[in-house]
């Protein structure tokens, strides 16, 4: 069931895109990316939107996704690479470079499509025939995993996690039909932590 969330009054911030996140308390957050590295984090609760904080992001960043299980936000920075941000509302944001843009790394220069799952992130290759995958290791570093070869060129990715199984879905660029495969974490991959329960005062 889709539920309409309250509108956001971003004031002078001109939105380029946004991504949603549900934290360990079950509260819905929205990160709105604007021009020149401006961004806002909102919490949406009981039919109201509250501005939580203003954020400084890389200029030109127009795509983000959040892994709810680990509280990690992934952001594509043009001409630089893919960043992983520690994303909890009660701690300073820290970031870690997952992959650099070609020719300094394997990330396509025009990368725009990404999907996230428990302890992994995937980006669509430039020709749409592969899903490049990086996995978080137990000590926190990100490591490239074997890419997922797609039978035909795709134009969209999305992940689905249910009953301890994670699937990566892709959409055929020609037929617009969706296909999926189960993602198996490689050896050494970090195990998603169980959520710590919150006790409200």
């Amino acid at each position: 069931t889709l539920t309409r969330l309250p509108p956001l009054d971003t004031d002078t911030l001109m939105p380029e895109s946004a991504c949603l996140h549900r934290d360990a308390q079950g509260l819905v957050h929205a990160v709105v990316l604007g021009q020149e590295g401006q961004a806002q984090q909102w919490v949406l609760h009981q039919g109201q939107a509250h501005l939580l904080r203003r954020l400084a992001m890389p200029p030109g960043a127009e795509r983000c996704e959040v892994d709810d299980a680990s509280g990690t936000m992934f952001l594509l920075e043009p001409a630089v690479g893919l960043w992983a941000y520690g994303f909890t509302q009660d701690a300073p944001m820290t970031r870690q470079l997952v992959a650099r843009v070609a020719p300094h790394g394997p990330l396509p220069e025009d990368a725009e499509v990404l999907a996230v799952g428990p302890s992994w992130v995937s980006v669509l290759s430039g020709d749409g025939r592969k899903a490049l995958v990086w996995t978080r290791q137990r000590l926190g570093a990100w490591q490239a995993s074997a890419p997922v070869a797609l039978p035909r060129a795709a134009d969209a990715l999305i992940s689905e996690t249910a009953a301890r199984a994670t699937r990566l879905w892709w959409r055929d660029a020609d037929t617009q039909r969706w296909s999926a495969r189960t993602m198996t974490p490689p050896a050494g991959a970090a195990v998603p932590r169980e959520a710590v329960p919150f006790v409200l005062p």
Side-chain angles (χ1 to χ4, degrees):
T1 301
L2 295 177
T3 302
R4 182 177 179 178
L5 298 174
L8 309 179
D9 181 9
T10 58
D11 195 24
T12 58
L13 178 73
M14 297 294 293
E16 293 287 343
S17 66
C19 50
L20 296 177
H21 162 55
R22 189 182 300 276
D23 66 16
Q25 285 183 262
L27 300 177
V28 176
H29 296 250
V31 177
V32 182
L33 301 178
Q35 297 176 339
E36 301 177 353
Q38 299 181 64
Q40 297 175 351
Q41 180 183 353
W42 293 76
V43 61
L44 313 175
H45 184 55
Q46 295 182 344
Q48 295 184 341
H50 304 277
L51 180 61
L52 196 62
R53 58 182 170 178
R54 301 180 189 275
L55 304 170
M57 293 294 178
E62 297 181 356
R63 188 77 170 91
C64 65
E65 290 287 345
V66 182
D67 173 25
D68 292 343
S70 65
T72 304
M73 180 177 71
F74 297 92
L75 184 124
L76 287 166
E77 180 180 0
V80 176
L82 174 64
W83 293 96
Y85 283 79
F87 189 71
T88 55
Q89 64 270 26
D90 55 354
M93 292 188 73
T94 58
R95 68 177 185 170
Q96 184 180 14
L97 188 62
V98 177
R100 292 186 63 86
V101 168
H104 306 291
L107 197 66
E109 188 175 356
D110 56 350
E112 293 183 353
V113 178
L114 65 110
V116 301
S119 300
W120 60 267
V121 59
S122 179
V123 177
L124 197 61
S125 63
D127 60 3
R129 296 299 300 266
K130 289 187 298 185
L132 308 176
V133 181
W134 289 267
T135 305
R136 189 196 299 270
Q137 301 299 293
R138 290 191 179 98
L139 297 179
W142 289 90
Q143 181 175 323
S145 299
V148 178
L150 308 180
R152 293 165 56 90
D155 61 3
L157 295 175
I158 196 170
S159 67
E160 172 199 16
T161 302
R164 296 180 180 253
T166 303
R167 290 179 179 154
L168 178 67
W169 290 81
W170 63 89
R171 184 176 64 190
D172 189 298
D174 294 326
T175 66
Q176 298 296 290
R177 293 183 178 177
W178 290 86
S179 303
R181 64 164 284 179
T182 301
M183 299 291 287
T184 303
V191 178
R193 295 172 295 178
E194 293 187 9
V196 176
F198 278 80
V199 178
L200 298 177

